[in-house]
Amino acid sequence: MSVFSAVNDKSMSILDLAKIWPLIREFEGARLQKVSERGNVFYFRFREGGIVFSPRRGLVPAESDPDFPVEFGKTRWSSRIEGKRLESVAQIAGDRVVCLDFGKEKVVLEWVREGNLVLLDGESKIVYALEPKEMRDRTLKPGETYRPPPRLGDIFSGDIEKLYESFRSMPKRGAIVAFSLVTSLPPDLVAEAMYREGISLDAKAGSLSFSQFRSVATKGIEIFFESLKDPSRGYHAGGWVYSFKPTHVTTDFVEVEFQKAFPEELLKRIFADITPREQTVSSVLEKTLEDYLRKVKLLEENISQIEQIIYDYRALVEDKKPWSLIESTLREKYPSIKKVDPSSPLIVVELEGIEIEIDPSKNAYANIELHYDKIKSIRKRLSEAKTKEEQAKPKQVKQKIAASGPWYTQFRYFWTTNGFLVVAGKSAGQNQLLVRRYMEDKDIFLHADIHGAAAVVVKTGGKDVPEKDILEAAQFAACYSSAWRGGLYTIDVYWVPASQVSLKAPSGEYLAKGSFMIYGKKNYVRGVKLELLIGVSEKGELLALPAERNPTDGCFLKITPGPYRKDLATRKIIEFLKRECNFKAREEDVVKLLPDGGFHIERWRPWIPST
């Protein structure tokens, strides 16, 4: 029997939190002595023990100072709360979010979504955020009022029928993950409830009936409250400590004292996250690359301030002010300035604890481009270093296996909501190949109503194609057309049965390569938006989807026609995939997915149909 998810990816659930809550409450009234951090792991030290927090894993109460594998350093914001008493600890909205109340300041610990740590003032305004972000449903940036992460649903207070409707809106998603999202029950507990109800753990959300959904919900609530009856009881199985009997993992589990064993097990994983790896040239370059990517992000987020600093600097220089006066004037007006070097000349600014050099002879945008040039150079050196390290490894004889795959992988393609394959040509030659060799009479042919567009075919298998799937295919056709290069935001797309398409020109006429004759009536989809999603599927596949596809799993961002050059857009997409999706993409693979033209990039979240 397979474990539902890898043990190394485990974190604290709301049930785990409930069972160790009394241990956390013991710190109420204690005076905070010190806050230290290492690798996004924080330690709140009190007179006796403390609280370890990881945005990836959760929080761990410790009776004494843990034996950390690395040295921790001081945080730049800790002085605001050190020496104060912890007045109270509270869980926010029943979620994996905990608030440490120090009176005028509060620290919010989140290990839901990507995780975060947020420092608030007395009016719940954000003073500091570990990961400043602007999302569709909230903003985590200094000066903003803090809002906790919203939840799709709650099994303990929600309407079961509405929860099921939300669940069914994610038919292609794994039932365990979808159920957890709409009910807020831990995934492992959902897996256990499904197992006890005789439902396959590999089932998709679309395969569960309402009665099955309700039975899993009932069983999940039963397991939840059964576990809470004895907070001290836990079960060790498969390298993890569970709050309940994990029969979906194994029947060969060992009963343990949960309030002791669970914190120890979780702390092991937190330690592993921050334990230094073997230092190689490539690992050092990877760290340098991460630092420069972070600097570029900070420069882009503070571009107005940087531009104003450069403007004021130039004005002072033109007035022939003494260098000492230039530096003191700028530092008084801009506290973020740490140094003004007349010999370079360079201005050193500190943004969110990171020092960045600015060349005042260039504008803010040119400074960002300088950093991108350095990033490009580092990436080249990193590639060379990895090649050398790979060559230095003991050689192993491997049998060569010819690359192969389904026929449609040579084209652009995606699967619609209802499982129809949509294929698009990448060139005039591919358009012709797709229509001549792979399009069948009962398929559907689509083309943007503009010269210079991909031939797009929906493989129907003889089945009727729902309107939603045609809309998805139409948007795919619109995005891969000259409309994108022309900067258009909408375009009309027509579709016809494959039987109305011919590669032969009428008598006496000539058809250019990749062109077609369409006979009979065209069916138009008017005003199709040029919106494309680039990202990684739940299976770890890099792909492009029309925004109409609205996947409820995977990790994506949205692109539309805009000002960014293709090379700059590619870099930003690669950075997003690494940072948000934990996926390393090659530049050439991303470029293959992009239409010709310029780009605008924005964050994307799947929309949930209204119920």
Side-chain angles (χ1 to χ4, degrees), residues 182-220:
V182 303
T183 65
S184 296
L185 285 175
D188 277 319
L189 190 147
V190 174
E192 181 64 24
M194 287 175 59
Y195 179 76
R196 295 188 190 184
E197 291 299 298
I199 299 172
S200 170
L201 303 190
D202 296 323
K204 298 294 184 182
S207 67
L208 265 65
S209 66
F210 175 68
S211 62
Q212 288 176 311
F213 180 88
R214 184 170 53 192
S215 68
V216 172
T218 302
K219 181 59 67 175

Side-chain angles (χ1 to χ4, degrees), residues 254-450:
V254 177
E255 192 168 317
V256 295
E257 184 182 344
F258 185 83
Q259 293 179 337
K260 180 177 184 297
F262 179 80
E264 290 176 352
E265 201 66 51
L266 189 61
L267 206 55
K268 286 180 186 178
R269 276 145 188 82
I270 294 176
F271 283 0
D273 292 341
I274 58 176
T275 300
R277 299 176 181 177
E278 180 182 355
Q279 287 288 310
T280 61
V281 174
S282 62
S283 64
V284 173
L285 287 172
E286 283 178 343
K287 179 62 171 64
T288 305
L289 180 60
E290 289 179 5
D291 290 343
Y292 269 98
L293 289 172
R294 178 65 174 156
K295 288 178 181 180
V296 165
K297 180 182 178 183
L298 290 170
L299 286 173
E300 291 176 337
E301 290 176 348
N302 296 274
I303 195 164
S304 297
Q305 178 187 346
I306 300 301
E307 198 70 70
Q308 190 61 46
I309 289 174
I310 293 171
Y311 176 83
D312 289 349
Y313 169 88
R314 291 176 178 176
L316 291 168
V317 171
E318 288 174 3
D319 289 343
K320 298 182 179 180
K321 301 291 185 183
W323 280 108
S324 58
L325 180 61
I326 291 175
E327 181 171 12
S328 60
T329 302
L330 289 173
R331 294 188 68 173
E332 182 179 351
K333 185 174 181 180
Y334 303 102
S336 61
I337 293 179
K338 296 302 175 186
K339 182 181 179 182
V340 179
D341 185 354
S343 61
S344 303
L346 287 174
I347 300 174
V348 180
V349 298
E350 183 180 304
L351 301 173
E352 296 186 14
I354 298 177
E355 291 190 353
I356 306 174
E357 293 182 346
I358 302 298
D359 182 350
S361 68
K362 304 179 184 299
N363 63 31
Y365 292 95
N367 271 277
I368 291 174
E369 283 301 318
L370 284 176
H371 279 72
Y372 273 122
D373 290 341
K374 290 180 180 178
I375 288 171
K376 185 178 181 179
S377 174
I378 294 168
R379 280 180 170 148
K380 181 179 179 181
R381 291 164 55 200
L382 177 60
S383 177
E384 293 171 349
K386 285 185 174 180
T387 300
K388 289 181 180 179
E389 290 167 8
E390 190 64 32
Q391 291 173 345
K393 292 180 180 179
K395 295 187 179 294
Q396 296 179 345
V397 179
K398 295 183 179 180
Q399 183 180 3
K400 290 186 177 180
I401 301 174
S404 62
W407 64 268
Y408 52 81
T409 56
Q410 63 186 299
F411 302 94
R412 291 190 175 102
Y413 69 93
F414 78 98
W415 298 89
T416 68
T417 296
N418 291 295
F420 291 94
L421 174 64
V422 177
V423 188
K426 298 178 182 178
S427 63
Q430 276 208 337
N431 286 346
Q432 200 166 34
L433 176 65
L434 175 61
V435 171
R436 174 181 287 128
R437 183 178 300 178
Y438 298 108
M439 187 171 73
E440 299 171 295
D441 283 346
K442 293 186 178 180
D443 293 340
I444 293 175
F445 175 88
L446 299 97
H447 196 277
D449 197 18
I450 190 172

Side-chain angles (χ1 to χ4, degrees), residues 80-81 84-88 100-107 120-124:
R80 298 180 65 105
I81 58 174
K84 296 184 178 181
R85 292 191 182 278
L86 178 59
E87 296 186 0
S88 66
L100 307 180
D101 188 346
F102 292 96
K104 292 184 178 179
E105 280 84 16
K106 297 179 176 63
V107 178
L120 309 179
D121 63 16
E123 298 178 348
S124 294

